[in-house]
Amino acid sequence: MTDLAQVLPDFPVAQYARLLPAIERSQLSVTDLLTLEVPDIGKRTQLPLLDVKRLCNAVLAALHADLGVTDPDHGNGNGNGNGNREASLRQTGTELLARPWRSISTLDASLDAALGGGIPTGYITEITGESGAGKTQFLLTLLLSVQLPPPHGLGRSALYISTEAGLTTKRLSQILAQHPFFRHLERKTDRPSLDRVISTVTPDLESQDHILTYQVPVEVVRRDVGLIVLDSVAANYRAEFERGSGGGGGGGSKMAERGADLVRLGHLLRELARKHDLAVVVANQVADRFSGTNPFAYSSTSQPYSPAVKNTGSSSSDVRPAATTSGPQNPRRQGLGAMSQESPLASRSRNVNLGSNKSTSNQTIPEDVEPSSSTAHIAVRSSMPEPPSEDFVPAAPAALSLDHQQRWFTGWGDDPHQHFHETLKTPSLGLVWSTQIAARIALFRRPAYGRKVVMEGSGDTTTTDTTTQDNDEYASAPGPYIKSWRRWMKVVFAPHVPGTGAGLEGAVEFEIIAGGLRGVERAKNKKGGVGSG
């Protein structure tokens, strides 16, 4: 039984040591013991039926005790429990709602307001964003604020689990020394300490599973941990399941195995958060979405407009648009087709026969004729579409397509005014991991551009910024440059607070300073949307 130790860590295996080897050889799980009939299990394991029944009853009683349906001493493994004892749930719905709400503050009023008070306990919260968006700074602030007494923290320690680089204690010390909230604490005993931040590194997936399964539960109880940080959740899975997968078979089995591991990881983290009333925060990476634009722009029913390659039969080839061929132009080609998450090979295979029975230069080529040098002017369809025409009116996207559905849980692609040149992102580990978390916080960054100009003085040239200077003696500008970066925090979904809305409409702008994170208040921050700067 491969999952007995994971489902029921406290199960008395010593009492059933004679039965468990046969259960292991038959590959029976806890679910099989609860759902299969006793004679069926006996046929597969060749064990006495009375022993099998006793084991199944013991597993069922242990599950009831773990879920709080009965007392732990109610089931003794013989199936003869007291039937007159009333089963009581661990917590009713009213008791759950009446439980005091605990959260970890970000130490900024605007960020806490968007998060409903901070990062809640009892849930898995994901912080995702591209490199440089501020994920690590967000996590370091939480490592210190969890040590504060309520209402800003929990008065408990923090556990930092890194899958890439170790904990940056230098930056953590800088935040502790420079943040205004820590500097103005009246009592020294309330001040956070680096000694209450436990850190470890899991360089591979095997060590990560071992630490989370066996060592973390012990440290949570021993150190009174109130926050577990996993940075990042995708690194070890990418290294384990994408290594050597290119061009080889078994990709589907690897994805299925990875999905099962992600479900197991989510179950383990949720149990830690629920049992110990702590907050679990994971950092996640993002990847570029293989879609030419946002899902509002084009419909999957439009026909791609593709160029044609003129085959001259010689070593050189002319590349010309398909619209220059003789004959009336197909009106369906005037719009750009669907740009979904599919490879160019899939698009090429879909369009390769579109012009097979077309007449080009007074020649008709049947479909079953192999290409030769005599087929001089065959128009070969390309998989790369061209930008749409100015008068193109896009249709609504397919309601069940991934490009349409993922707007609601990824954080990218939900803005109808998304710029065409901007690349959409998708959090790593896909839809399987999205179902394991309770809240997703997306961090964005956009460049703020300035323009350098050359000032001609006495024999030397200097550069200045036209955004702050305006003088006639400045010569022509050599071009824009990135003056700074603007960052936003967006709540994509959460159980305790509504999402911030489409795009960056309701997102909170913040900046990274020496003391950590600080919200940015701008007058009517209407132009702070995507692409503005």
Side-chain angles (χ1 to χ4, degrees), residues 308-312 320 355-356 360-361 363 365 369-372 374-381:
V309 178
K310 179 181 178 181
N311 185 3
T312 59
R320 62 177 183 177
S356 58
T360 305
S361 300
Q363 296 183 9
I365 308 299
V369 176
E370 296 184 358
S372 61
S374 60
T375 58
H377 299 285
I378 298 178
V380 180
R381 303 285 300 182

Side-chain angles (χ1 to χ4, degrees), residues 310-318:
K310 179 181 178 181
N311 185 3
T312 59
S314 60
S315 59
S316 61
S317 300
D318 283 314

Side-chain angles (χ1 to χ4, degrees), residues 22-86:
I23 299 294
E24 291 281 356
R25 288 193 299 268
S26 302
Q27 295 294 321
L28 293 176
S29 62
V30 174
T31 305
D32 296 331
L33 293 179
L34 298 177
T35 56
L36 295 178
E37 297 291 339
V38 174
D40 296 336
I41 299 177
K43 290 179 181 179
R44 295 176 60 175
T45 59
Q46 300 299 319
L47 292 174
L49 297 184
L50 290 179
D51 293 341
V52 173
K53 183 178 180 180
R54 184 166 58 91
L55 175 62
C56 294
N57 291 336
V59 172
L60 181 61
L63 283 175
H64 286 170
D66 184 69
L67 296 174
V69 178
T70 58
D71 295 331
D73 58 349
H74 178 60
N76 53 8
N78 55 12
N80 297 324
N82 296 329
N84 56 0
R85 180 174 298 180
E86 299 241 356

